[in-house]
Amino acid sequence: MSAPTEPLWKRWLDRLLMLNVLLVASGAVFFTVAVVAQSQGRDQAMDLFQQLWQPLFTPAISLLIMAALISGIVSWWQRRVQTADRGNGN
């Protein structure tokens, strides 16, 4: 048997979410660098980070949290349905 192929929309959604995780991780590294630079008296990196916070990082973090919650709920629901099917003898 061959493995079932996933729909095209799911592949693109997975790619988008992986890029989102990369963006959030890059933002965390950039924030760390900005904090270190600011502690040494260089404010440019923190100023740039603050300008990018609202339009870029806030939606990316929100999307990451929302995707994790939806994934967890769907996984929980699937396990619950499978457990109910086993209990019925199917």
Side-chain angles (χ1 to χ4, degrees):
M1 281 189 192
S2 64
T5 59
E6 58 185 18
L8 182 62
W9 65 269
K10 185 172 182 326
R11 279 187 278 162
W12 280 104
L13 182 61
D14 288 343
R15 290 176 187 161
L16 173 71
L17 292 174
M18 287 304 297
L19 286 173
N20 186 52
V21 168
L22 180 64
L23 176 66
V24 171
S26 299
V29 170
F30 179 50
F31 177 70
T32 302
V33 169
V35 167
V36 170
Q38 189 176 31
S39 72
Q40 296 176 353
R42 298 184 207 125
D43 295 333
Q44 296 87 359
M46 185 58 79
D47 292 341
L48 178 61
F49 182 82
Q50 288 175 343
Q51 288 175 354
L52 294 174
W53 177 254
Q54 274 301 113
L56 183 63
F57 295 120
T58 300
I61 293 169
S62 299
L63 179 62
L64 181 65
I65 292 170
M66 183 180 65
L69 286 173
I70 289 173
S71 175
I73 290 169
V74 167
S75 175
W76 169 79
W77 183 259
Q78 286 175 342
R79 276 183 283 151
R80 183 175 175 165
V81 168
Q82 288 174 355
T83 303
D85 286 346
R86 286 186 206 148
N88 292 336
N90 291 338

